[in-house]
Amino acid sequence: MAQQKWRNTLVGWSFILPNFLGFVIISLVPMIAAFGLSFMEWDSFNAPEWVGLDNFERLLRDESTKIALWNTTLYALGHVPLTMLAALGLALLLNRRLAGLGFFRAAAFFPYITSLVAVAVVWNMLFNPEFGPVNQFLHFIGIDNPPGWTTSTTWAMPAVILTSVWRDMGYYMVLFLAGLQSIPREYYEASKVDGATGWQRFLFVTLPGLRPVTFLVLILLTVQSFKVFDLIVVMTDGGPGRATLVLSQQIYRQGIIEGEFGYASAISFVLFLLVLVLTLIQFWFNNRRERS
Amino acid sequence: MIRRRMLAAMATAVAIALPVSACGSGEEPAANGPVTLSVSVWSLASTPEFQVLFDAFTKANPDITIKPVDILAADYPTKVTTMLASGDQTDVITMKNVIEYARYASRGQLLDITAAAKSDTAKKLGGLDAFKQEGDKYYALPYRQDFWVLYYNKKLLEAAGQAFPTNLTWDQYVELAKKLTTGSGQSKVYGTYHHTWRSVTQAISAAQTGGDQLSGDYKFFADQYRAALALQEAGATLDFGTAVTQKTGYASMFETQKTAMMPMGTWFIAKVLSEKQKGTTNVDWAIAPMPQRPGSSKITTFGSPTAFAVNKNAKHSAAAKKFVEFASGPEGAKALAAIGIVPAYSSDEILKQYFALTGMPTDEMSKKAFTPDKVNLEMPVSDKTSKIDTILNEEHQLIMAKQKSVEDGIKSMETRVKNEVS
């Protein structure tokens, strides 16, 4: 019997092995190496030098890294709830019988499959303070002093957040749509019979039914927000000044551009911890609510 | 997270490659016989200088063929850094800028070619000083030396009834730009165009005031910023914010005749010449010296050389050295000048050949602009250069986008350089 069990385990492992091997070589080993590097000074050419906690101490003093951390948090605080709301709203709208439903669903998904560089360049033009359609519209509806968007230190982050919400909402809409369709029809019928209003049905049937999906979306969005890079690089490159500098960009600058891989690894490690802690908190909340 | 993984993946890749590189620098076979020389270049298709040099070199050395390693221009420094770190054996490495050069040289990734840099030919190389490293050693030879001049559109100046610019002061330049600004909306023609780079304001003021961009004391930028902001305020140049958000190309600003003047590097000459030949633009242009500070009798501008270096791990270092010397010498210069590139090697003959090109302006002022009295290095080289560069660039954006006053911007450059660069 014991032999049989051992055999089954081995067979199971052999199925996972190809994928696991890839994970180990491409992700796990480098991750551990990066953790080790964060205690060293390394320019990628000469031998690494052990510096203990120097990199972390520098991190605490480095104004740019602190600004980047703050900006990343701001971005996440804007991007996560807004994208969730927009995606859920779209999913609810497009989860009914409607002429041309397929077209509207595709339209909502389109931004996600559009090249990110194109998205960033076009939105930059839309946000142009003088000639951009966004501000021309604001002028039209009677706002005399519309924001400078990506040319203003105050408005650059909102502009980036708006663009990323527009880009991502279609993708998460699809997840929500799948979730909506897995809620049994009977629940709605039963609540209707009991005299629940549309709002009550949404609150007590739809939302609880969507909990697993909402949780998944929340985790995916949080992780995605904290590692935001490409959109910001193309749209503002962290500017004006350091108004939209984010952590992954700071890691790139310190590591690849400045050649300080130790320090860059230290920042990456902090980013990793941040995302880990946030995810654990979310899991903990989810588990608690599941039990109650 | 992906970013972090990528970094780490690179780290391991490098770690694996290190032992390989150690045995990669073996002795090369005798220099005779056919050799294939690899040369790292950027955007080969749109950078004709490389092919021209290769053709001239292989013609003079029939037993050597050249294999270009083509890299996207924007990724060039990053890619070369990674290549060198992983012990790549590409023979000749093109040094796109001096800052990267200093980094590679100090890491010991380039071959010492001091002997070639001390030869008689090398005495005629503009910008050679920028490659001098500790201990009077050289690891690269410049083959081109670009510097900044003032381009102008003859037709637009004539239409406005203005004389062609000669030795302008900055105040005269600002006034002229205001007078040259016409129209509005889509048909607006600007008096001048300042590209978004910080050098347009900072490097020129450093060169002309004698200020040091690494010093941490930046009060010498103030006059230049006031002039730049005055132009912007008067609508005589495209607003900085618009130029950034629209990703405005300086070449198209000038070639589509949207601006009457434009301070820009001499690399733009070859571009205009070839665009005119292709018929994509019919701009009638000439160059004048950069505007100067009041009371200065000499023409001072800034520029930066581009160079070839030999990789320490090169497979064919003798042939590579030969190429580097050829490209920076008179023969290379001749080939470069033939397509409108400014060679580092300067002689009367080359200058004559250069201005004889079809499409080149032939007036005396253009020639004068082409032989400035002093060309300062765009950005001094030290181990702190790249960090200071980042700070100066960030604050430049804030001043130009009017998020900070000139005084506040300069003050935060000073405090940031003091606090963040150690």
Side-chain angles (χ1 to χ4, degrees):
Chain A
M1 269 312 266
Q3 206 185 349
Q4 180 66 32
K5 210 171 168 186
W6 184 227
R7 236 184 92 156
N8 280 346
T9 313
L10 273 184
V11 169
W13 281 357
S14 73
F15 280 128
I16 312 174
L17 191 67
N19 190 17
F20 185 71
L21 213 64
F23 167 74
V24 168
I25 294 172
I26 296 170
S27 299
L28 193 63
V29 169
M31 269 166 74
I32 294 166
F35 176 65
L37 269 183
S38 63
F39 299 99
M40 293 177 218
E41 204 178 290
W42 190 44
D43 61 5
S44 84
F45 190 69
N46 295 310
E49 194 183 319
W50 184 266
V51 293
L53 290 172
D54 276 13
N55 286 326
F56 292 94
E57 191 223 0
R58 178 174 158 197
L59 201 146
L60 291 177
R61 281 184 290 117
D62 189 344
E63 206 195 336
S64 289
T65 306
K66 275 189 263 181
I67 289 176
L69 179 63
W70 171 239
N71 285 342
T72 315
T73 314
L74 265 185
Y75 175 83
L77 283 177
H79 180 234
V80 176
L82 284 178
T83 311
M84 264 177 109
L85 276 179
L88 182 60
L90 274 176
L92 289 170
L93 267 179
L94 297 174
N95 190 39
R96 54 184 72 196
R97 286 180 195 288
L98 189 76
L101 188 65
F103 171 77
F104 289 116
R105 281 184 184 169
F109 193 68
F110 235 74
Y112 190 75
I113 52 172
T114 309
S115 148
L116 188 115
V117 175
V119 168
V121 170
V122 170
W123 274 91
N124 234 337
M125 290 179 175
L126 294 179
F127 279 131
N128 182 300
E130 256 182 89
F131 313 108
V134 174
N135 275 4
Q136 278 177 355
F137 176 74
L138 291 178
H139 266 299
F140 180 72
I141 60 167
I143 295 170
D144 287 332
N145 247 328
W149 300 112
T150 49
T151 63
S152 143
T153 43
T154 335
W155 287 96
M157 190 49 95
V160 172
I161 292 174
L162 277 178
T163 310
S164 58
V165 168
W166 177 82
R167 181 183 135 85
D168 292 335
M169 62 186 184
Y171 179 74
Y172 295 104
M173 171 201 77
V174 172
L175 296 186
F176 275 125
L177 266 178
L180 283 174
Q181 272 158 18
S182 69
I183 302 174
R185 291 249 139 253
E186 294 79 23
Y187 290 5
Y188 288 101
E189 280 157 19
S191 58
K192 251 187 201 162
V193 171
D194 286 347
T197 62
W199 175 243
Q200 282 172 327
R201 265 176 290 158
F202 171 70
L203 222 53
F204 299 113
V205 181
T206 313
L207 274 189
L210 278 180
R211 243 239 335 264
V213 179
T214 315
F215 179 62
L216 173 74
V217 169
L218 183 68
I219 299 242
L220 287 178
L221 265 175
T222 312
V223 173
Q224 194 201 6
S225 295
F226 273 93
K227 60 175 211 197
V228 60
F229 179 78
D230 33 17
L231 182 80
I232 290 200
V233 167
V234 187
M235 215 167 145
T236 61
D237 197 20
R242 289 178 283 183
T244 52
L245 180 71
V246 287
L247 273 181
S248 46
Q249 204 180 355
Q250 175 73 353
I251 294 168
Y252 174 76
R253 283 190 186 175
Q254 298 301 331
I256 308 284
I257 297 180
E258 301 280 343
E260 300 190 28
F261 287 88
Y263 183 47
S265 301
I267 309 176
S268 324
F269 185 64
V270 169
L271 178 58
F272 171 72
L273 276 186
L274 199 70
V275 175
L276 185 73
V277 167
L278 281 172
T279 314
L280 286 179
I281 291 175
Q282 287 168 353
F283 261 102
W284 181 70
F285 256 106
N286 192 50
N287 284 345
R288 244 180 44 154
R289 288 182 66 189
E290 215 143 66
R291 256 181 270 131
S292 65
Chain B
M1 240 175 37
I2 287 184
R3 200 41 54 183
R4 186 167 40 75
R5 283 185 194 160
M6 211 187 85
L7 263 177
M10 261 186 47
T12 15
V14 169
I16 292 165
L18 278 177
V20 180
S21 73
C23 43
S25 53
E27 283 303 298
E28 62 179 297
N32 301 321
V35 169
T36 305
L37 196 66
S38 51
V39 183
S40 77
V41 301
W42 58 87
S43 306
L44 191 63
S46 57
T47 321
E49 63 194 76
F50 293 122
Q51 199 54 54
V52 165
L53 281 175
F54 296 163
D55 291 345
F57 181 71
T58 39
K59 207 173 158 198
N61 301 276
D63 56 335
I64 301 179
T65 40
I66 288 184
K67 193 185 96 204
V69 179
D70 198 2
I71 297 163
L72 201 66
D75 299 336
Y76 189 80
T78 321
K79 170 85 179 164
V80 169
T81 304
T82 336
M83 271 166 63
L84 289 178
S86 64
D88 187 276
Q89 297 185 350
T90 303
D91 300 303
V92 177
I93 309 285
T94 315
M95 297 291 122
K96 197 160 187 242
N97 69 55
V98 186
I99 300 170
E100 296 299 327
Y101 160 75
R103 201 174 278 167
Y104 305 144
S106 68
R107 286 183 195 158
Q109 293 169 321
L110 304 174
L111 205 69
D112 184 347
I113 48 171
T114 310
K118 298 249 158 115
S119 71
D120 283 342
T121 344
K123 285 198 182 99
K124 291 187 169 178
L125 288 179
L128 181 65
D129 281 350
F131 296 92
K132 190 160 150 180
Q133 289 286 301
E134 230 173 286
D136 202 14
K137 283 196 158 54
Y138 292 82
Y139 302 87
L141 288 184
Y143 66 95
R144 63 183 286 183
Q145 156 83 330
D146 287 299
F147 52 87
W148 281 55
V149 295
L150 182 66
Y151 292 78
Y152 63 91
N153 184 319
K154 284 174 159 177
K155 286 238 172 69
L156 290 176
L157 272 113
E158 274 164 3
Q162 298 294 329
F164 294 153
T166 48
N167 293 317
L168 296 177
T169 63
W170 285 103
D171 289 340
Q172 290 168 334
Y173 164 76
V174 171
E175 286 315 307
L176 181 59
K178 284 182 190 166
K179 283 181 199 151
L180 291 169
T181 306
T182 55
S184 64
Q186 286 296 316
S187 63
K188 178 157 183 172
V189 173
Y190 294 93
T192 187
Y193 174 67
H194 283 196
H195 199 50
T196 53
W197 300 326
R198 68 174 189 86
S199 285
V200 181
T201 324
Q202 296 179 354
I204 192 68
S205 69
Q208 295 184 347
T209 62
D212 177 0
Q213 293 177 79
L214 300 182
S215 65
D217 182 356
Y218 298 115
K219 288 172 193 75
F220 63 88
F221 285 157
D223 288 348
Q224 207 63 45
Y225 270 115
R226 276 190 203 103
L229 289 172
L231 281 170
Q232 192 167 292
E233 206 73 29
T237 180
L238 187 66
D239 172 68
F240 181 85
T242 303
V244 171
T245 53
Q246 308 287 90
K247 300 204 186 290
T248 305
Y250 63 84
S252 68
M253 280 299 282
F254 193 74
E255 285 163 13
T256 57
Q257 320 210 26
K258 280 276 182 210
T259 179
M261 299 188 286
M262 181 172 78
M264 187 46 65
T266 45
W267 61 80
F268 185 50
I269 292 178
K271 172 90 174 25
V272 186
L273 287 179
S274 88
E275 293 301 319
K276 270 194 92 165
Q277 214 148 48
K278 277 190 248 166
T280 44
T281 175
N282 58 0
V283 57
D284 189 8
W285 62 283
I287 52 175
M290 282 293 274
Q292 302 291 316
R293 291 178 69 82
S296 93
S297 56
K298 293 225 153 112
I299 298 169
T300 308
T301 183
F302 72 95
S304 45
T306 319
F308 286 119
V310 181
N311 186 352
K312 200 163 209 176
N313 289 331
K315 258 193 197 151
H316 313 288
S317 49
K321 261 191 216 163
K322 210 173 185 180
F323 175 79
V324 174
E325 283 178 56
F326 177 91
S328 62
E331 289 159 292
K334 220 170 140 184
L336 290 170
I339 56 161
I341 303 280
V342 186
Y345 181 89
S346 64
S347 70
D348 290 342
E349 192 195 344
I350 297 285
L351 192 69
K352 218 187 260 165
Q353 185 204 341
Y354 194 84
F355 274 92
L357 283 173
T358 37
M360 271 302 282
T362 49
D363 59 295
E364 280 312 303
M365 198 35 80
S366 290
K367 282 181 194 161
K368 197 175 160 200
F370 207 74
T371 45
D373 298 299
K374 199 170 154 222
V375 180
N376 251 48
L377 191 58
E378 182 166 5
M379 179 71 177
V381 176
S382 89
D383 53 343
K384 299 179 178 80
T385 297
S386 117
K387 277 187 186 151
I388 294 180
D389 180 67
T390 307
I391 294 173
L392 293 184
N393 191 34
E394 284 166 352
E395 299 301 325
H396 170 73
Q397 291 172 5
L398 294 176
I399 295 175
M400 291 310 291
K402 296 211 279 189
Q403 300 295 306
K404 268 187 190 169
S405 70
V406 176
E407 286 70 28
D408 288 350
I410 289 178
K411 214 174 275 164
S412 60
M413 288 176 197
E414 291 174 344
T415 42
R416 283 190 62 193
V417 168
K418 200 169 132 214
N419 294 336
E420 295 172 30
V421 183
S422 48

